[in-house]
Amino acid sequence: MGGSSSGRSSRDRSDRRTPESARSRPRTRRARTRADDDLDVLVEAVAEKKPSTSRGWASRETSRPSRVTRWARVDPKRAAIIGLVVVFLALTLAVPLRTYLAQRSEFNRLQESNAALSAEVADLQKKVTEQNDPAYIEAQARARLQYVKRGEKQVVVIAPNREQQEAADEAERVRAANPWYQNMWDAVSTPPEGK
């Protein structure tokens, strides 16, 4: 049994791969892809980037060649596909966004209209409450219909309306501009109004 156990242990040891044996074993090479090239470009860009202590134009100029090389290595097909995807997403989102904005503006307009209608309803409720008050009814009857209570005397002052008042003021200005003898002659020669 001792021999079999030692045989197993030596076989187990030989089956186990050591780092040296894994390195010495030949690897199968896989084909390089565009992603590998992009990764190499990024590694080179990071390796080229040096920490700069100065800020300004000098540090910007050192980073420009790496940007130019990145743009030079961009695949046109991939850029076209990405551009088409971006345009497709923009067109897809444009209609719902426009609809959302239109509905939002309509919602705000309806809210303002609702607030105005609420204020009008409150004003009409106030008027209904006033019209049910006996003191308000009495005040309106006195003002509009010239009603008086028993024992009161009604005095009605007839004041000229605005047009009559303006015509009278204009006649007074013309009279004041005339000489005194013209005013006296007009008073004698013109019969009084209303006769």
Side-chain angles (χ1 to χ4, degrees):
M1 290 239 184
S4 65
S5 66
S6 64
R8 247 188 237 165
S9 64
S10 64
R11 193 170 24 135
D12 288 341
R13 281 189 226 139
S14 65
D15 285 346
R16 291 185 191 154
R17 293 185 184 154
T18 59
E20 293 89 21
S21 65
R23 285 186 203 144
S24 64
R25 200 172 123 215
R27 279 187 163 175
T28 58
R29 300 247 333 149
R30 63 182 176 89
R32 290 185 61 86
T33 62
R34 183 69 182 169
D36 293 334
D37 293 339
D38 291 343
L39 185 62
D40 290 342
V41 169
L42 289 174
V43 168
E44 288 173 10
V46 170
E48 287 177 7
K49 195 179 251 186
K50 297 175 184 174
S52 64
T53 56
S54 65
R55 292 185 178 183
W57 290 103
S59 64
R60 290 183 188 158
E61 289 176 4
T62 57
S63 65
R64 279 199 177 165
S66 64
R67 289 182 189 160
V68 171
T69 56
R70 278 190 225 152
W71 282 109
R73 294 181 183 173
V74 172
D75 186 23
K77 288 181 183 178
R78 185 177 287 175
I81 291 172
I82 290 173
L84 286 174
V85 168
V86 168
V87 168
F88 177 74
L89 287 176
L91 292 176
T92 303
L93 295 176
V95 174
L97 183 65
R98 185 182 66 188
T99 304
Y100 170 75
L101 293 175
Q103 287 177 351
R104 189 72 181 164
S105 66
E106 183 179 356
F107 175 74
N108 291 338
R109 184 181 56 79
L110 290 174
Q111 258 188 335
E112 291 171 3
S113 174
N114 192 17
L117 288 174
S118 296
E120 186 179 347
V121 165
D123 186 41
L124 291 174
Q125 286 287 9
K126 181 182 173 188
K127 285 183 180 179
V128 166
T129 305
E130 285 177 350
Q131 289 177 357
N132 290 333
D133 186 19
Y136 178 79
I137 295 171
E138 181 182 339
Q140 289 299 314
R142 286 175 176 267
R144 292 183 183 180
L145 304 173
Q146 286 83 31
Y147 282 2
V148 292
K149 289 185 178 181
R150 291 184 188 198
E152 292 180 345
K153 291 188 179 181
Q154 182 178 14
V155 177
V156 178
V157 178
I158 300 175
N161 60 14
R162 178 180 256 172
E163 292 85 16
Q164 291 172 342
Q165 184 67 33
E166 288 174 358
D169 290 343
E170 182 64 30
E172 186 62 36
R173 277 187 291 238
V174 168
R175 188 168 189 261
N178 288 340
W180 65 273
Y181 55 86
Q182 180 70 36
N183 289 337
M184 187 163 60
W185 179 254
D186 288 339
V188 171
S189 65
T190 308
E193 290 180 14
K195 288 191 177 183

